[in-house]
Amino acid sequence: MTTGLYQGDNHDTKQEPLTQREQKILFSPLRLVVVLVLCVFTTEFLVHYLLQNTSMFSPSRVILLDAVLLSVALCPVLIFLLFRPLKHLVARHQINENQLRRHKEHLEQEVKARTAELDSVVQQLREEIIEKKQLEKDKQDTYCTLHTTLESMNEGFVSLDRQWRYAYVNKAAAHLMGRDVAEMLGRVCWEVFPESVNSLAYREIHRSVTENCITFFDDFIVEPLNRWYEYRCYPSPEGVSIFITDITERKYAEARFRDLSEHLETVREQERLAISREIHDDIGQTLTAFKLDLSWIERKFPSGNNELIGRLNAMRSSLDLLITKAQNLASELRPPLLDNLGLAAAIDWQTREFKRRCGIECHLMLNEEIKALDKQTGTAIMRILQEALTNIARHARATEVSVSLCRSGTDDLILEISDNGAGISQEEISSPLAFGLMGMQERARLCHGQLTIKGVHGEGTTIRLEIPRGAVKEAV
Ligand SMILES: Nc1ncnc2c1ncn2[C@@H]1O[C@H](COP(=O)(O)OP(=O)(O)OP(=O)(O)O)[C@@H](O)[C@H]1O
Ligand SMILES: [Mg+2]
């Protein structure tokens, strides 16, 4: 804008505006007087010079001539001296007028441009307002849909803000917690439920917010609710959203299932023991008696009947094989050493048997301090070991196996079976058809232990059972 104005000014300076000094000189009365005096004196000098050299004019004519000459001399001077500054004033005025006009035009253009700009800004703002209104409406619609969905759920849903105040509570959640929605909204949850401070739920909800992670957990709420709840916490910048499900029935069903499977396990073990004894005592003894009878018949027969003796020998060999098989079957069903000499001896026997039968190198590491454990834990460990070794023989294609039973630094009991075979895959571990692996897990759970299975493709598989110190009772 400023640049345009100055350009216009330069264009007009063909009629040079007067400088201040020039104006001073031009409009000075002193200058006018000096010039006038000079003109008068010059004219008077010329008139007197003429009169001195001629005597043809009368005094009245002389005065007239003097006056005429004076006027003739003074008129142009006066005209020049008075009109020139006026002309300059007019020119200057015109320049100013032109400048003002251009200023005006320029300003008008500026105003137009600014108006157009303002118009577009106004339009933009109008569009933004419409968009915001639409967003607001969408938000409102989404909220309504969400509200309807949350209210129609059987599952409880609460949303807590950063100050742990209830920002939203659905009807189901209020019902599950035995309160009214109005009674909870806007209040700090730990004030509504002071008894839950420092509970598992308190710690896990705090962890979800502070570590910004999703947490799932089950918690039992004591009096007056006395129920089990499953919590799923989802943190957000606004706070945390929690889904709550009443799982009391499921927990009781799980407990019943655990009791049932524990009972089944006990019954199975008792049956195995009974069958094992039956095979060992009755069948084994009958076979031995049979073998003795065979020897007696052999002795009673006259020598020389080679065909008969050959048959009797073949019968004795088959009988020996049958006796060994019966013994193996009895030991498989219930390793005798487990009941007689304890877990360490049974494991030692089991690993030696495995090496003998499968021809796979098996290293055993037993911690000397491990005494005989209670019957249930000992049996569970033994069965897990048997299943792991059977799996190695059937699936691993391993050349070496190591088995260790020891105590950790925290005195937990640790059984570890690892092989250098094909390595179990994650899909095989989580397959719903892996009944052998599931059985191992179930046995571990029954003795309050934790079983982990890890496999590395081409490098082998490791099965680790950890039973916490408190869960292991040592047999007296
Ligand atoms: N040590 C191992 N090395 C490699 N793969 C293994 C090993 N142990 C188990 N697997 C894989 O895991 C699968 C599941 O094992 P699981 O013991 O549950 O079933 P299974 O042995 O096939 O049958 P069963 O029910 O008779 O035990 C096996 O089929 C096998 O593919
Ligand atoms: Mg198996």
Side-chain angles (χ1 to χ4, degrees), residues 387-388 390-391 394-395 435-437 440:
E387 174 62 24
T390 311
N391 277 352
R394 284 172 65 189
H395 314 292
F435 296 112
L437 302 184
M440 284 203 239

Side-chain angles (χ1 to χ4, degrees), residues 442-454:
E442 187 56 25
R443 283 175 196 282
R445 207 179 49 70
L446 286 179
C447 58
H448 312 286
Q450 200 182 351
L451 187 104
T452 46
I453 305 170
K454 277 187 197 150

